Amino acid sequence: MSDSNETTTPATGATATEALQQAMVGQLMAIIGAPDDKDVARAADDIVQALDVRLREDRTAAA
């Protein structure tokens, strides 16, 4: 049974946390492909910030 704090993405079955982790990997690959693109860097930063918040929420819910 999943934690009530986790939402599941219907198409993939991934939790919100897993979806953010996958998005982060994709964004890091984009940075490798375009290291000087500030928009790519900003998008990656947004995902890292969102993942950080989500992981903190998950940790608090588990406590």
Side-chain angles (χ1 to χ4, degrees):
M1 179 175 218
S2 68
D3 192 338
S4 63
N5 219 16
E6 289 291 326
T7 55
T8 302
T9 306
T12 63
T15 65
T17 302
E18 291 168 337
L20 282 170
Q21 290 170 331
Q22 292 170 3
M24 183 181 74
V25 170
Q27 228 22 71
L28 291 174
M29 296 302 288
I31 288 172
I32 291 169
D36 296 328
D37 189 324
K38 290 182 182 181
D39 291 331
V40 171
R42 282 189 196 102
D45 184 56
D46 290 344
I47 292 172
V48 169
Q49 296 297 324
L51 182 58
D52 183 49
V53 168
R54 185 66 187 185
L55 290 173
R56 288 175 195 266
E57 289 171 352
D58 289 352
R59 185 173 49 188
T60 301

